């Protein structure tokens, strides 16, 4: 028997491990199983090249709980260790790795946003155990079993052990403040979270399996059962296979495996597979997306060599793609670093660019190969594409060819097709093409109809970030502008050379405006007299495009003008001086009747705009009944 002291400068390194990693102490199991997996895969490699003269067989890792003795066992059938190797890898290498980790992050480990703790490895066991034992036997011919133990101080014991099979067994004596790790449900949860796709089978207890009934069995006879090993992982998940070896159903099955509580099928998938200049595999899925930008994220899972690391992939996946789902697996993403370091890392930037390009290429091919299907899916994927066009210039260049602009009539145009369709009819006197749109077909119906009566196309653009995208399009394209159909009366939205002549004199206009302003006491409405076609509406309420758009952009973040998000809504009451009702208001002899006509007309305009509510709506209804008596 030998005892010794681990050569380490920090005597109280074990309390430090526990303190600085406490919020993540559950990762000890991931680390121990990762070590066991590495040991098993090394044996596989050595037997394949003839350096290990043993039968590889079908090794697995087993996790066992001994609740009465307060012990947790992790057992592998890998290469094992000799006494010299225990001395080197446990007492020297592993511990120096733990010390280096703590020295690096001691000043702010909890705040550094550390993604993973690979490299800390074996000593993470002391986050949950007051004593750790190792019983190991090397695959090398003639090797004897070795026993090592340590009670959380720098002292250790190293002696001959009792073990027949090659491999390593680690026994954790669970500390009193960590007894949750003696509960089957807790360990099962951790295995499912971190080790669901490890490349070596992992056994955790037994399970009952139902067998087929014998042919001569009666209908009431129960089906026979048998106890089998409970293998908790899928060692060959879909992303580790070649796309040519997978069918569409395989991708759907894997999606259900990743998200068992998700009942909707994904719309389509993107298989990532590259080994130069970095190594990355994975599968990304486009789910059906809502317009709520806040509830979608943290659905992509990041793995390193099939070991789960995190589902917060910010900095690795471009932000606009964090609304997707799926898996990314890469040994080239540095894990023992803060997020600020990640964003500056060259390999990570290349990976992020690659993912962006693959997504753009997939969307482009879907558009080209089956446009009808792409159009049907547009509403479910547009939020990601519009977000990407706003945030990534390279994505914008590619997406500009397949992003769709739907009309209120259900037609879909690319931007180039739209320009070609409307340039003759919707170009104003300054040679600027005006693109009309609505954000709500129902509430802006009368404005849409007025535009359609002129032969204009009206787009239906209703996503929460459309204001930002329109701003980008207006600055990146030449001589185009967007205007919502209720931003002004239609002749003002697309001004042509020929202007209407007003039937009213300047004096009559001044008199009319005074009468209107006497009745309208709401300061958020500005009266605007316009000469329009006599068949156009007598009163229209409009919302100026610039003010409204800046306000909306500020409310969705990242744009607009400072402070505009909290400003009250501003409206124009546009009065058609050529309409007979306006002439009647002007020529009405009694002030009471004039006021009633003005109130009724303005309320009808508000009703058309969806602004008539509460007391105003009640007054309007009562006044209308009086008028039809």
């Amino acid at each position: 028997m030998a005892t010794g002291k681990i050569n380490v400068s920090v005597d109280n390194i074990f309390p430090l491990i526990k303190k600085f990693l406490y919020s993540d102490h559950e990762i000890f199991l991931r680390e121990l199983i990762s070590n066991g997996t590495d040991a098993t895969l090394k044996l596989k490699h050595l037997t394949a090249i003839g350096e290990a003269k043993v039968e590889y067989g079908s090794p697995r890792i087993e996790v066992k709980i001994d609740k009465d003795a307060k012990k947790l066992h992790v057992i592998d059938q890998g290469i094992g260790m000799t006494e010299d190797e225990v001395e080197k890898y446990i007492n020297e290498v592993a511990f120096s790795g733990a010390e280096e980790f703590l020295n690096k992050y001691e000043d702010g480990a909890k705040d550094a946003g550390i993604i993973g703790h690979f490299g800390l490895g074996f000593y993470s066991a002391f986050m949950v155990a007051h004593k750790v034992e190792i019983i190991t036997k090397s695959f090398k011919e003639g090797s004897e079993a070795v026993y090592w133990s340590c009670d959380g101080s720098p002292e250790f014991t190293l002696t001959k052990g009792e073990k027949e099979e090659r491999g390593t067994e680690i026994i954790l004596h669970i500390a009193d403040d960590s007894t949750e790790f003696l509960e089957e449900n807790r360990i099962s949860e951790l295995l499912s979270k971190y080790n669901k796709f490890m490349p070596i089978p992992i056994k955790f207890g037994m399970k009952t399996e139902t067998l087929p009934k014998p042919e001569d069995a009666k209908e009431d006879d129960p089906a026979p059962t048998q106890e089998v090993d409970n293998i908790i992982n899928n060692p060959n998940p879909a992303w580790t296979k070649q796309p040519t070896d997978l069918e569409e159903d395989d991708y759907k099955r894997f999606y259900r495996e990743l998200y068992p509580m998700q009942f909707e099928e994904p719309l389509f998938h993107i298989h990532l597979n590259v080994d130069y200049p970095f190594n990355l595999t994975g599968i990304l899925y486009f789910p059906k997306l809502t317009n709520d930008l806040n509830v979608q994220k943290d659905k992509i899972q990041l793995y390193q060599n099939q070991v789960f690391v995190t589902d917060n992939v910010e900095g690795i996946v471009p932000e606009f793609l964090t609304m997707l789902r799926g898996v990314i697996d890469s040994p080239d993403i540095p894990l023992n670093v803060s997020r600020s370091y990640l964003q500056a890392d060259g390999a990570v930037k290349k990976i992020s660019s690659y993912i962006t390009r693959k997504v753009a290429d997939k969307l482009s091919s879907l558009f080209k190969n089956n446009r009808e299907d792409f159009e049907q899916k547009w509403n479910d994927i547009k939020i990601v594409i519009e977000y990407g066009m706003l945030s990534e210039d390279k994505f914008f260049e590619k997406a500009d060819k397949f992003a769709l602009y739907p009309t209120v009539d259900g037609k879909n145009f690319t931007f180039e097709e739209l320009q070609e369709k409307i340039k003759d009819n919707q170009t104003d006197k300054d040679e600027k093409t005006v693109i009309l749109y609505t954000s709500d077909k129902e509430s802006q119906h009368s404005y849409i109809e007025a535009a359609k009566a002129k032969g204009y196309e009206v787009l239906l653009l209703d996503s929460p970030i459309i204001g930002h995208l329109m701003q980008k399009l207006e600055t990146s394209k030449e001589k185009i502008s967007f205007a919502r159909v209720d931003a002004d009366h239609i002749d003002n939205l697309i001004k042509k050379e020929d202007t209407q002549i007003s039937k009213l004199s300047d004096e009559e206009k001044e008199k009319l405006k005074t009468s209107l302003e006497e009745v309208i006491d709401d300061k958020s409405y500005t009266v605007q007299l316009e000469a329009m076609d006599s068949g156009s509406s007598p009163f229209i309420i409009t919302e100026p495009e610039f003010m409204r758009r800046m306000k909306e952009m500020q409310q969705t973040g990242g744009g607009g003008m400072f402070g505009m998000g909290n400003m009250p809504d501003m409206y124009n009451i546009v009065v058609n001086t050529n309409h007979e009702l306006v002439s009647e208001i002007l020529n009405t002899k009694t002030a009471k009747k004039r006021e009633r006509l003005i109130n009724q007309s303005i309320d009808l305009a508000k009703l058309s705009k969806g602004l008539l509510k509460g007391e105003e709506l009640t007054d309007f209804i009562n006044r209308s009944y009086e008028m039809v008596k």
Side-chain angles (χ1 to χ4, degrees):
M1 173 175 162
T3 59
K5 189 167 182 177
I6 296 165
N7 183 21
V8 61
S9 59
V10 186
D11 279 348
N12 62 343
I13 196 164
F14 292 102
L16 278 175
I17 288 173
K18 193 152 192 171
K19 177 184 175 186
F20 283 113
L21 294 178
Y22 194 78
S23 62
D24 256 354
H25 62 327
E26 65 179 38
I27 61 101
F28 81 92
L29 190 59
R30 178 189 75 182
E31 295 295 319
L32 296 180
I33 291 175
S34 295
N35 288 348
T37 301
D38 288 344
T40 310
L41 292 175
K42 280 174 186 166
L43 181 67
K44 185 179 185 180
H45 176 68
L46 292 174
T47 54
I49 62 173
E51 281 194 24
K53 309 296 184 187
V54 295
E55 191 70 35
Y56 178 68
S58 304
R60 64 189 180 193
I61 293 165
E62 184 172 6
V63 178
K64 292 197 297 190
I65 295 172
D66 183 346
K67 199 167 182 177
D68 293 336
K70 293 188 175 180
K71 291 193 286 190
L72 180 71
H73 302 249
V74 179
I75 308 157
D76 71 60
Q77 296 167 337
I79 55 175
M81 287 180 282
T82 62
E83 185 174 337
D84 287 346
E85 286 167 341
V86 170
E87 184 70 55
K88 180 180 178 183
Y89 294 118
I90 300 298
N91 294 344
E92 294 173 22
V93 176
F95 211 94
S96 64
E99 187 182 16
E100 180 190 354
F101 179 89
L102 287 169
N103 288 341
K104 192 171 182 181
Y105 294 109
E106 191 171 347
D107 292 336
K110 282 198 172 178
D111 302 321
I114 296 162
I115 290 181
H117 314 293
F118 284 40
L120 184 64
F122 167 71
Y123 276 90
S124 62
F126 285 96
M127 292 190 292
V128 300
H130 62 82
K131 178 182 176 183
V132 178
E133 299 172 283
I134 300 173
I135 306 168
T136 184
K137 185 179 181 187
S138 173
F139 72 96
K140 293 171 185 173
E141 203 172 331
S143 293
E144 291 187 328
V146 181
Y147 171 84
W148 178 96
S149 75
C150 179
D151 63 0
S153 70
E155 272 81 30
F156 66 87
T157 299
L158 183 61
T159 184
K160 185 179 174 183
E162 297 286 330
K163 186 168 171 56
E164 296 295 321
E165 303 286 324
R166 69 162 189 260
T168 300
E169 178 173 3
I170 296 173
I171 304 163
L172 281 69
H173 294 256
I174 300 297
D176 290 341
D177 62 355
S178 298
T179 53
E180 63 183 283
F181 299 111
L182 294 169
E183 300 297 331
E184 277 195 24
N185 286 347
R186 183 72 171 115
I187 296 300
S188 186
E189 173 200 333
L190 292 183
L191 291 172
S192 178
K193 177 177 178 180
Y194 290 111
N195 307 105
K196 189 159 66 169
F197 300 113
M198 294 290 279
I200 305 297
I202 300 167
K203 177 188 173 185
F204 182 52
M206 306 292 286
K207 66 179 180 181
T208 304
E209 196 174 73
T210 303
L211 299 171
K213 283 187 180 184
E215 286 185 13
D216 58 350
K218 294 177 183 175
E219 194 176 329
D220 295 339
D221 288 350
T225 60
Q226 66 177 11
E227 291 295 299
V228 296
D229 291 343
N230 180 31
I231 304 297
I232 60 93
N233 61 321
N234 171 4
N236 302 296
W239 85 81
T240 64
K241 301 172 184 175
Q242 290 298 316
T244 49
D245 297 334
L246 296 165
E247 303 286 339
E248 187 63 34
D249 281 349
D250 295 319
Y251 287 107
K252 287 180 178 175
R253 265 195 299 275
F254 181 57
Y255 185 76
R256 286 191 288 272
E257 201 173 341
L258 283 173
Y259 309 105
M261 300 309 291
Q262 181 63 43
F263 301 111
E264 278 191 334
E265 295 282 2
L267 298 168
F268 53 87
H269 65 269
I270 299 158
H271 199 129
L272 307 168
N273 195 343
V274 63
D275 53 20
Y276 182 83
F278 48 82
N279 193 299
L280 179 131
T281 54
I283 300 170
L284 294 178
Y285 293 92
F286 263 77
K288 284 191 173 183
L289 295 168
T290 68
N291 278 346
D292 186 349
L293 294 170
N294 299 313
V295 298
Q296 317 287 347
K297 297 183 181 182
D298 297 344
K299 297 290 188 183
I300 296 175
Q301 299 174 13
L302 177 66
Y303 286 74
Q304 191 191 67
N305 295 324
Q306 294 177 236
V307 183
F308 175 79
V309 179
T310 181
D311 54 11
N312 187 335
V313 293
E314 188 183 339
I316 298 164
V317 173
E319 190 182 0
F320 77 98
L321 293 177
T322 55
M323 291 181 279
L324 303 189
R325 293 183 182 154
V327 165
I328 291 169
D329 190 332
S330 175
D332 293 333
I333 296 172
L335 298 170
N336 296 337
V337 293
S338 66
R339 299 199 183 285
S340 58
Y341 177 88
L342 255 188
Q343 285 156 6
D345 185 79
V348 171
K349 283 183 177 175
K350 285 177 186 168
I351 286 170
S352 180
S353 296
Y354 166 77
I355 293 170
T356 301
R357 191 176 77 251
K358 284 290 287 184
V359 170
D361 290 346
K362 175 73 174 186
L363 290 164
S364 182
S365 71
L366 287 170
F367 173 75
K368 287 173 185 170
N369 297 334
N370 191 345
R371 176 160 176 168
E372 187 181 344
D373 184 55
F374 187 84
E375 288 183 359
Q376 285 175 354
K377 289 173 177 168
W378 176 252
N379 270 338
D380 296 314
I381 62 175
K382 67 183 179 187
I383 195 78
V384 172
I385 296 171
E386 289 169 355
Y387 196 177
M389 290 174 76
L390 273 173
S391 55
E392 302 267 338
D393 285 340
K394 285 185 178 174
F395 185 81
F396 179 91
E397 287 169 24
K398 288 180 178 260
D400 197 32
K401 295 183 173 57
F402 59 72
L404 294 178
Y405 298 87
T407 72
V408 290
D409 298 321
K411 292 177 282 187
N412 288 280
F413 297 106
T414 63
F415 196 86
E416 192 179 327
E417 291 166 349
L418 178 68
Q419 266 191 308
E420 189 59 33
K421 177 84 167 68
I422 68 172
K423 67 180 181 183
D424 292 335
N425 199 26
Q426 289 179 223
T427 298
D428 65 14
K429 61 185 178 62
D430 300 318
E431 295 187 358
K432 183 177 272 193
T433 302
V434 181
I435 300 167
L436 300 176
Y437 73 98
T438 178
S439 57
D440 187 331
K441 274 204 302 188
E442 298 300 315
S443 66
Q444 293 154 26
H445 182 267
S446 62
Y447 302 87
I448 295 167
E449 290 305 304
K452 285 167 73 174
K454 297 269 188 182
Y456 298 154
E457 288 287 353
V458 181
L459 302 182
L460 175 59
L461 304 178
D462 57 1
S463 81
I465 56 172
I466 198 65
H468 299 276
L469 183 58
M470 288 188 296
Q471 200 83 349
K472 186 173 178 82
L473 288 163
E474 286 170 343
T475 53
S476 62
K477 308 276 187 186
E478 287 187 7
K479 292 199 165 184
I480 67 125
S481 69
F482 284 82
R484 204 167 82 176
V485 286
D486 60 347
D488 207 332
H489 80 77
I490 196 64
D491 292 340
N492 270 358
L493 288 176
I494 306 178
K495 276 186 177 289
K496 304 287 186 177
E497 289 292 355
D498 51 329
T499 53
Q500 289 277 346
I501 297 167
S502 176
K503 291 179 181 176
L504 303 184
S505 66
D506 289 347
E507 189 182 333
E508 286 174 316
K509 283 189 209 170
E510 194 58 43
K511 182 183 172 187
L512 175 64
K513 192 169 185 182
T514 303
S515 298
L516 292 165
E517 287 174 346
E518 282 173 359
V519 175
I520 303 162
D521 56 1
D522 191 333
K523 300 301 178 202
S524 58
Y525 291 90
T526 303
V527 175
Q528 187 179 311
L529 303 182
E530 295 279 354
M532 296 186 258
D533 188 280
S534 60
S536 297
S537 298
F539 286 75
I540 306 168
I541 292 177
T542 63
E543 231 177 318
E545 178 75 17
F546 176 77
M547 294 284 285
R548 192 209 75 251
R549 199 196 297 183
M550 289 299 124
K551 184 176 161 68
E552 287 173 353
M553 284 166 65
Q554 177 127 24
Q555 286 168 343
T556 54
M561 294 177 68
F562 182 74
M564 270 201 168
N566 298 320
M567 282 184 65
D569 293 320
M570 301 298 292
Y571 301 98
N572 291 330
I573 295 177
V574 183
V575 183
N576 181 2
T577 59
N578 289 339
H579 197 281
E580 59 182 332
L581 175 61
V582 174
S583 297
E584 187 182 342
I585 289 170
L586 183 65
N587 298 319
T588 296
K589 298 289 187 273
T590 65
K592 189 175 180 182
K593 184 181 178 185
R594 184 184 303 113
E595 184 180 339
R596 193 174 76 237
L597 284 172
I598 291 170
N599 279 325
Q600 192 71 1
S601 301
I602 289 170
D603 282 354
L604 283 166
K606 285 182 179 179
L607 194 63
S608 175
K609 180 83 174 125
L611 294 171
L612 200 61
K613 294 170 184 169
E615 188 179 347
E616 283 187 334
L617 179 58
T618 304
D619 290 345
F620 169 75
I621 292 167
N622 292 336
R623 191 190 318 116
S624 299
Y625 280 134
E626 286 297 319
M627 292 175 78
V628 296
K629 273 184 183 176

